Amino acid sequence: MRLHPAWVDLALVLAVLAGAGLLFVGASTLPPPRFEPMGSAALPRILGGLLVFFALIIAIKAIWQLRGRTDSNVVSDETDDTTSRPSAANSALESDTEESALTGQLRGICVFTCLILYIVALDILQWSFIPVTAAFVTIVGTALSPQRLQALWKFALFGLVLAAGLYLVMTRFLYVDLG
Amino acid sequence: MNRYTHTTDPAGRPGALSQACRTVRRVSRRTACKLAVGALLATSLSGNATLSLADEGSYPSKPIRVIVPFKPGGRTDTVARLLGEKIQEKGWLSQPMVILNADGGAGANAVNQMRRGDADGHTAVHWHHQLLISIAMQLGDFTLDDFKSVGYTGGGSPVWAVREDSPYNTLQDLIDALKAEPRSLVEAVGIGTIPHFVGAMLANEAGFETRYVTASSGADRLRLLLGGNADISLFAASEFIGQGEGLKALVYFGRERLPDLPDVPTASELGLDVSWANPNWWLVPADTPDDVVAQLAAALEKAIADPEIVEYFNNNTLEAYWMDGESAMADAKKTLAALKPVADSIK
Amino acid sequence: MLDAFITLFQIDNLLFLFLGTALGIVVGAIPGLTASMLIALTLPLTFHMDSVNAITLLIGQYVGGISGGLITAILLRMPGTPASIVTTFDGYPMAQNGQPERALALGIMASVVGGIISWLFLAGMSPTLAKFALQFGPWEYFALVMMALVMLASLTQGSLVKGLMAAALGMAFALPGIDNSIGRARLTFDMDALLSGFGLLPVLIGAFAISQILRESAAPIKASTPINLPKKKLPVQFKDLKTFGPNMLRSSVIGTWIGLLPGIGANIAALVSYTTTRQLSRSPEKFGTGHEPGVVAGETANNASIGGALIPLITMGIPGSVTEAILIGALTIHSLQPGPLLFQNAPEVAYGIIAAYLVANIIMLFLMWNAVRYIAAISQVPRAWLLSTILVFCVVGSYAVNNNFTDVWVMIAFGVIGLGLELARVPLGPFVIGFVLSPIAEEQLRGSLMMSDGNVAEILARPYAMSFLFVALLTLLWPLIMGQVARRRHHTRQEPNS
């Protein structure tokens, strides 16, 4: 069910190559050096070149791994990163709750969508800060709680207090204009 | 963050909060909810109330947002805050002025903030001639047509300084040296900022050329000059005086000598037609009605004449004067025309 | 000086200092809110205060803010301030290994020691050090930052290629915006929103906090465990002070010294001292897995850099960081022009700053030491409460920097990027540090070239710059040298060398 890391690497390679392409395109429109010999375009080009170089190395490694996969299922040399991949994967294995990884991912997507909607409401719709924030905290808090119904009103109250408190301090004392 | 500014407001820490919630629940679940909802309603209602007042045309009907395109603490920010407070203290406008700092993007961020607000006099910008430079360099999608000028509330001019142990004692010494040996001296400037433009205007007028080293702030210029990594730089007169030792001013860019620096000649005295006065310029969106602008201008004009404000200006080598909106715009257009050739020359 | 302390111990000043430090710690600890933001936002409040009160409040916030960052860096792997990025490398693994209190206590101890040692420099040798720092021009800055960049490469764990790529990616993201060396837009693709580039704060919170929150919210929900505070004694003893003595001394010197250089700042100080400590260590491979000296090195240096940065501020009126630029603003509002004349015109303020810095460190120790157990309990607060609150703070905080929603969207975008990078096992540390360092390196190099009319050889006449490049080279070759040494030792001596 889990993707082979080499595929993830290949996706990374594609994204990085696209980014490097952007760098080259952007650099091509820059004026020639004016005050010093380097100019604005030098660093984007250097970085673009480096990114392509690194991406190719990773791509070659990944393809090599995918080919060799038929021989053994062991994920080869890159099982190193214990520190930068904390709890998420490990605790999924340890956890004795019955929920599947899929529900977890759904919840993650739900939180992310809420976050986007929250900012859309504040920025584009320019809705009032307090109710929007309270609603946001309520939804996210509830989604992350084990016992949903009990959590709902707790988070509604908490969200309201948090939003009102922040609003008061920000606008009254600190002159930040919220929404 | 700053919910903690006031110790009576415990809103932030999750721990404290849940504690508070628990306590509240114990007292009365219902009342707490009602109170909270009531508070919420009251807030949104009062917002609506002020809005409806605005329709009746009594200006100002809500706090005036003054956008400052810099981080807090600089001159533009400080002057805006001082004038705003003075106006509120004396009641020259019925609502307070709220300063909003929108730094970044050569002012584009501030202009976007201004466009978010209504053009009804409750949105204003306090800027200086960096605005003209942004326009001359075509940074950001704004021109002077996007603004209506309220007026200048005073301003100040900079000096050109060298290190105290520098062999050049007058501007003429310096120009002679640079003419004898072009590009032999290093000038600390931020490319495309006021120091760069003022220096370039002087260089064009007198016919010399310097090398540059990038310095993104006044502090950077000071550091490079004092440390011997640059030979010349531009400073606000107050920065120069505050430094006290280590620097020597060669020329002042104001139209007349500064009382605090009686020995520093102006450029025009030296036969060079270059002057630079950086005003505190108040602007509103172009569509703002004239009667509203007039009321704002009247309040600002009173504020800049206030003795306390005048004293602050004097202490900081700024001139306190009032120039009305139209004259200010005319002056700015003239300056912009002078900046354009310099901007073209560094494109 | 003594007078300054006496003034400081007036009840109102002490109160403001206390308030400022406490506020700073809390704000520093909250991902999304930083010390410089706090100071910027409280600046207007100081208008009506007495100038000494105002300064003590702001200094307290400054010290507290840098120190508070370690809390969330250790417990949640979300650095509260940029200066605490390296603290996540070892602090978070320590906390995960069941030693959150030990990690916190070490971090606090290191912070205080760093603060006090740099205070000694501040109080004792300000004028000398300031003169020394002034000699540093663009070449030296460039060489110093290059050194830090090379050290960065040696920091990466796991795949070296991915580490380097992370750094290059971070550098690429720092490119858009107005190019200071020509004063025009670069790589903005005609979008006004990109003119000011990606802000450090949104990028940092996005890459660390938002991505971490999203990952955590996707993890299965555990029934909340009751919070039980251990009653045992604090897990740091006097002997730790001795064990880490050399480390702390070295890190303090590095921190103070890098802090001295305006515009370089606490982030780089922490990074350089962390790498140096790692390079000199007998067991460099342990760094990044919850190794105690790693926490100590970073936290000592970032606090020490404040003392260093105050030196050019009070002797010459040159601010070392954004935070200090705002401090200068606070002085000018009170009609005090910072600079050498400050000691004559307003000695109570000039010495007040020095005295307040020391006392703020002590207050910070007092506050955090007593609270450490409760702070450690944060990691046991149910996730629903913690994550929803932090999300709101991240949004409000990144908006409040410049009153700008673009920053909020940038934060979200970098949250997604951070998540993607982690998924592909590309480390975030080099990514963010590359992002911080490369604009300085580029601007300084191009500034140097402007100054020298394009003559690269001029760097040869700059002894400090050359020595940084030498250290950079040494860093690159160090693993080889150590390998050789170890092999030779192995040959000549039979018994293992402890």
Side-chain angles (χ1 to χ4, degrees):
Chain A
M1 189 195 119
R2 286 182 68 84
L3 227 61
H4 191 281
W7 288 112
V8 181
D9 281 357
L10 283 181
L12 172 76
V13 166
L14 284 183
V16 168
L17 287 179
L22 267 183
L23 287 184
F24 286 120
V25 172
S28 66
T29 61
L30 289 171
R34 170 79 178 77
F35 298 101
E36 32 73 41
M38 247 181 92
S40 298
L43 189 64
R45 292 207 172 107
I46 295 172
L47 288 176
L50 281 177
L51 285 175
V52 170
F53 175 69
F54 294 139
L56 288 180
I57 297 182
I58 293 175
I60 293 168
K61 266 190 179 172
I63 291 170
W64 185 73
Q65 272 178 30
L66 282 178
R67 285 197 161 181
R69 189 160 62 132
T70 43
D71 304 336
S72 72
N73 266 334
V74 182
V75 180
S76 60
D77 62 344
E78 292 190 44
T79 43
D80 38 22
D81 253 16
T82 46
T83 53
S84 60
R85 307 172 64 197
S87 48
N90 302 338
S91 59
L93 298 173
E94 295 160 10
S95 149
D96 51 354
T97 45
E98 62 271 42
E99 73 166 27
S100 66
L102 188 67
T103 359
Q105 276 165 14
L106 275 179
R107 194 170 45 238
I109 292 167
C110 161
V111 169
F112 183 67
T113 319
C114 285
L115 184 60
I116 300 281
L117 291 178
Y118 175 48
I119 304 171
V120 167
L122 286 178
D123 179 17
I124 297 164
L125 304 175
Q126 301 206 19
W127 286 357
S128 185
F129 177 78
I130 297 182
V132 177
T133 305
F136 174 72
V137 172
T138 312
I139 298 171
V140 171
T142 309
L144 292 174
S145 295
Q147 295 117 350
R148 300 261 152 88
L149 284 176
Q150 289 174 13
L152 184 68
W153 73 267
K154 271 197 227 166
F155 277 100
L157 187 62
F158 170 60
L160 211 57
V161 174
L162 179 69
L166 262 178
Y167 186 83
L168 185 77
V169 173
M170 284 291 188
T171 52
R172 278 295 146 78
F173 299 115
L174 301 172
Y175 307 106
V176 169
D177 188 37
L178 290 174
Chain B
M1 77 195 79
N2 302 322
R3 321 162 279 183
Y4 290 107
T5 310
H6 284 253
T7 43
T8 48
D9 177 15
R13 244 165 325 185
L17 258 171
S18 46
Q19 188 75 46
C21 292
R22 250 172 270 141
T23 327
V24 167
R25 178 176 52 187
R26 226 174 295 129
V27 177
S28 159
R29 203 178 283 190
R30 274 225 181 124
T31 334
C33 288
K34 269 188 197 157
L35 274 177
V37 174
L40 176 63
L41 281 178
T43 325
S44 51
L45 275 181
S46 62
N48 290 339
T50 48
L51 275 182
S52 58
L53 266 178
D55 299 335
E56 288 165 29
S58 63
Y59 174 82
S61 55
K62 60 180 179 184
I64 300 167
R65 298 180 342 138
V66 178
I67 300 156
V68 173
F70 304 100
K71 289 207 185 311
R75 186 194 93 182
T76 313
D77 178 66
T78 310
V79 167
R81 289 178 196 274
L82 283 172
L83 293 184
E85 296 211 340
K86 183 54 75 182
I87 289 173
Q88 189 178 359
E89 178 195 323
K90 302 273 181 178
W92 288 323
L93 289 174
S94 58
Q95 293 277 347
M97 284 183 170
V98 177
I99 311 297
L100 275 185
N101 298 93
D103 183 44
N109 187 4
V111 175
N112 287 338
Q113 274 291 334
M114 182 186 86
R115 287 180 181 150
R116 276 175 80 99
D118 300 322
D120 59 359
H122 295 101
T123 309
V125 181
H126 184 235
W127 212 336
H128 59 56
H129 277 351
Q130 184 69 40
L131 165 64
L132 302 179
I133 289 181
S134 291
I135 293 172
M137 297 281 287
Q138 291 161 357
L139 297 166
D141 65 340
F142 48 88
T143 65
L144 282 182
D145 296 336
D146 289 309
F147 304 94
K148 185 172 273 181
S149 162
V150 183
Y152 291 164
T153 53
S157 297
V159 296
W160 234 36
V162 293
R163 254 188 326 283
E164 202 156 46
D165 57 9
S166 150
Y168 314 109
N169 290 314
T170 64
L171 186 64
Q172 199 54 49
D173 290 351
L174 189 81
I175 294 174
D176 290 345
L178 278 167
K179 279 188 173 160
E181 236 183 303
R183 297 173 62 76
S184 59
L185 295 174
V186 178
E187 185 185 352
V189 298
I191 304 286
T193 63
I194 289 174
H196 181 201
F197 274 76
V198 175
M201 289 197 295
L202 186 71
N204 289 350
E205 175 75 16
F208 61 83
E209 203 181 343
T210 58
R211 275 180 291 156
Y212 293 134
V213 59
T214 27
S216 38
S217 64
D220 260 1
R221 298 197 295 277
L222 187 59
R223 171 174 73 78
L224 289 167
L225 189 58
L226 288 177
N229 289 295
D231 303 299
I232 320 161
S233 192
L234 187 87
F235 294 101
S238 55
E239 282 177 323
F240 172 77
I241 293 171
Q243 198 53 30
E245 54 199 51
L247 296 182
K248 194 159 61 177
L250 296 183
V251 60
Y252 177 64
F253 288 98
R255 290 197 180 82
E256 280 158 35
R257 287 195 186 205
L258 192 71
D260 291 305
L261 295 170
D263 301 327
V264 181
T266 65
S268 47
E269 282 174 46
L270 300 172
L272 298 165
D273 182 25
V274 179
S275 75
W276 180 265
N278 205 14
N280 300 300
W281 194 7
W282 296 77
L283 300 150
V284 288
D287 302 331
T288 311
D290 283 331
D291 58 325
V292 168
V293 177
Q295 289 184 56
L296 185 58
L300 288 170
E301 186 173 359
K302 280 185 217 158
I304 194 65
D306 183 89
E308 270 180 53
I309 299 287
V310 172
E311 193 196 334
Y312 172 84
F313 271 61
N314 287 341
N315 285 341
N316 286 279
T317 69
L318 296 170
E319 280 175 83
Y321 60 85
W322 169 252
M323 186 188 277
D324 66 76
E326 274 176 37
S327 326
M329 189 53 104
D331 172 80
K333 283 193 169 143
K334 218 174 86 193
T335 312
L336 182 59
L339 290 176
K340 281 242 165 80
V342 185
D344 291 337
S345 78
I346 62 170
K347 259 181 191 168
Chain C
M1 180 67 90
L2 197 62
D3 288 349
F5 276 103
I6 293 168
T7 322
L8 197 63
F9 282 107
Q10 283 165 5
I11 190 72
D12 54 335
N13 288 325
L14 216 50
L15 209 66
F16 274 114
L17 195 57
F18 191 84
L19 182 69
T21 315
L23 276 171
I25 294 173
V26 172
V27 166
I30 298 176
L33 311 179
T34 64
S36 60
M37 194 193 302
L38 173 69
I39 293 180
L41 294 177
T42 38
L43 181 68
L45 297 179
T46 63
F47 271 38
H48 302 291
M49 292 182 182
D50 167 68
S51 56
V52 180
N53 284 348
I55 286 297
T56 50
L57 179 70
L58 295 173
I59 295 272
Q61 292 178 346
Y62 192 12
V63 172
I66 298 280
S67 315
L70 69 94
I71 297 174
T72 31
I74 289 175
L75 296 178
L76 307 172
R77 194 166 165 258
M78 304 176 191
T81 52
S84 293
I85 297 175
V86 297
T87 309
T88 60
F89 296 171
D90 283 294
Y92 182 68
M94 273 184 81
Q96 292 298 98
N97 299 342
Q99 294 180 297
E101 287 179 50
R102 167 99 179 144
L104 284 172
L106 276 179
I108 296 166
M109 178 184 79
S111 296
V112 173
V113 172
I116 290 175
I117 294 181
S118 77
W119 180 81
L120 293 176
F121 284 111
L122 172 67
M125 349 178 16
S126 277
T128 328
L129 286 175
K131 270 207 191 88
F132 170 71
L134 266 188
Q135 298 172 9
F136 280 55
W139 285 118
E140 284 79 11
Y141 273 61
F142 165 69
L144 177 71
V145 176
M146 274 314 282
M147 180 181 86
L149 274 172
V150 170
M151 287 182 158
L152 177 65
S154 72
L155 256 188
T156 58
Q157 293 145 11
S159 159
L160 180 67
V161 178
K162 284 191 175 168
L164 292 176
M165 188 162 85
L169 273 175
M171 292 169 155
F173 277 113
L175 287 173
I178 292 174
D179 177 2
N180 274 338
S181 305
I182 51 168
R184 321 198 135 259
R186 168 166 73 170
L187 295 175
T188 57
F189 302 99
D190 285 331
M191 281 183 277
D192 263 11
L194 283 183
L195 268 182
S196 44
F198 299 116
L200 170 60
L201 190 75
V203 170
L204 181 79
I205 328 175
F208 282 100
I210 297 290
S211 69
Q212 182 86 354
I213 290 172
L214 291 178
R215 209 170 24 237
E216 294 228 346
S217 53
I221 295 171
K222 281 176 269 177
S224 58
T225 45
I227 299 169
N228 51 338
L229 297 170
K231 289 277 183 279
K232 62 179 190 290
K233 268 185 72 181
L234 273 178
V236 168
Q237 291 153 4
F238 186 70
K239 74 168 200 281
D240 287 316
L241 209 57
K242 251 162 80 184
T243 319
F244 295 113
N247 181 347
M248 289 193 290
L249 193 63
R250 180 181 57 240
S251 303
S252 303
V253 173
I254 292 176
T256 311
W257 182 74
I258 290 183
L260 261 182
L261 304 172
I264 301 282
N267 327 344
I268 299 181
L271 174 71
V272 171
S273 91
Y274 179 86
T275 338
T276 315
T277 306
R278 181 170 184 257
Q279 300 284 21
L280 296 177
S281 160
R282 292 214 190 100
S283 44
E285 73 285 349
K286 282 192 194 155
F287 281 78
T289 62
H291 197 41
E292 293 177 353
V295 177
V296 172
E299 281 304 319
T300 311
N302 67 23
N303 266 63
S305 75
I306 304 181
L310 285 173
I311 292 174
L313 176 83
I314 59 171
T315 50
M316 290 173 301
I318 295 176
S321 61
V322 181
T323 316
E324 298 202 331
I326 304 171
L327 278 181
I328 287 202
L331 288 175
T332 49
I333 284 167
H334 289 99
S335 290
L336 298 167
Q337 189 68 40
L341 296 183
L342 191 62
F343 282 91
Q344 292 160 32
N345 296 342
E348 75 282 4
V349 174
Y351 288 110
I353 293 175
I354 300 180
Y357 175 61
L358 181 68
V359 180
N361 268 295
I362 294 166
I363 294 179
M364 184 268 289
L365 172 70
F366 169 76
L367 283 174
M368 289 181 67
W369 201 253
N370 283 310
V372 69
R373 284 179 207 156
Y374 307 97
I375 294 171
I378 291 176
S379 52
Q380 300 192 21
V381 171
R383 235 174 15 177
W385 297 97
L386 208 57
L387 297 190
S388 55
T389 315
I390 293 179
L391 272 178
V392 171
F393 275 109
C394 288
V395 171
V396 172
S398 51
Y399 171 78
V401 192
N402 287 323
N403 281 299
N404 188 352
F405 270 108
T406 313
D407 288 334
V408 183
W409 290 112
V410 168
M411 173 189 80
I412 301 291
F414 276 87
V416 175
I417 292 172
L419 203 61
L421 291 179
E422 291 262 274
L423 197 68
R425 284 162 301 141
V426 176
L428 287 181
F431 176 78
V432 176
I433 295 168
F435 177 85
V436 175
L437 292 186
S438 82
I440 311 178
E442 189 198 8
E443 188 181 323
Q444 297 298 337
L445 175 61
R446 292 171 67 188
S448 315
L449 290 173
M450 273 182 212
M451 197 172 86
S452 69
D453 249 344
N455 183 4
V456 188
E458 204 158 281
I459 197 172
L460 296 175
R462 298 278 192 151
Y464 294 120
M466 288 310 288
S467 56
F468 293 140
L469 291 184
F470 178 72
V471 173
L473 195 69
L474 204 66
T475 314
L476 275 183
L477 302 179
W478 194 250
L480 291 177
I481 300 170
M482 285 311 275
Q484 284 292 330
V485 171
R487 207 168 306 149
R488 200 167 301 163
R489 251 189 219 158
H490 190 71
H491 280 303
T492 49
R493 281 201 234 154
Q494 295 302 323
E495 78 261 51
N497 190 354
S498 72

